[in-house]
Amino acid sequence: MGRDADPGAARGPEDGSAVVDFVLVSVLVVALLLGVVQVVLALHVRAVVIDSAAEGARLAGRADRTPADGVERTQQLIDAALSERFAQDVTAREVELEGLPVVEVTVTAPFPVVGLLGPAGTLTVSGHALSEEP
C-alpha cells in the first residue's frame, strides 16, 4: 500500500517543502512583474511627452500661431494623458536648425518611479517643427 493511502504514516523530511518553494518563487515573480511595470510606465510617459512636444511644436509652427500656443497645447495634451505635474516645465522658442526656421518645444518632466527602485530624476524631451512664414 502506498504512502498516500495511509494517513497515519510518518512524514518525511521534505513534507511541506512545496509551500516554501511556492513562496520563494512567488517573491521572484512579483519582483519581476514590478520591474516590468516600472519599465512600461516609464516608456508610456516618455512616449506621451515626446508626442505632446511634437504636436505642440507643429501647432506653434503654423503661420497664425505663436510659440506660446505650442506651450499651451503641449500642456493640455500632457495633462489629459498623464497628469498636470508632468506638464509643469514646458518651453517653446524659435531656433534655426540647418538653416531652416524651426519651433522647438522642450518638456522637462519628472521620471516616474514605482517604489524605491529605478532611476530618479527628470526626463527632458524636445519636439521640432518647421516654422511657416506669414
Side-chain angles (χ1 to χ4, degrees), residues 10-125:
R11 294 183 175 216
E14 295 198 20
D15 283 349
S17 66
V19 174
V20 174
D21 290 343
F22 175 77
V23 170
L24 292 174
V25 170
S26 296
V27 168
L28 291 175
V29 169
V30 168
L32 181 64
L33 179 66
L34 289 176
V36 170
V37 168
Q38 168 69 35
V39 170
V40 169
L41 178 63
L43 289 176
H44 172 68
V45 168
R46 181 177 173 268
V48 167
V49 171
I50 287 173
D51 186 55
S52 299
E55 181 64 28
R58 283 191 288 273
L59 180 71
R62 293 179 52 185
D64 59 340
R65 299 298 181 127
T66 66
D69 294 327
V71 168
E72 183 181 344
R73 179 64 178 155
T74 301
Q75 289 173 331
Q76 289 172 350
L77 290 171
I78 293 172
D79 186 28
L82 298 172
S83 171
E84 187 178 308
R85 73 182 184 103
F86 290 95
Q88 295 296 321
D89 188 10
V90 180
T91 59
R93 62 189 180 124
E94 294 178 358
V95 297
E96 191 170 302
L97 188 65
E98 296 183 16
L100 298 171
V102 173
V103 176
E104 177 184 63
V105 175
T106 303
V107 179
T108 302
F111 200 76
V113 177
V114 176
L116 299 175
L117 303 175
T122 58
L123 171 70
T124 303
V125 299

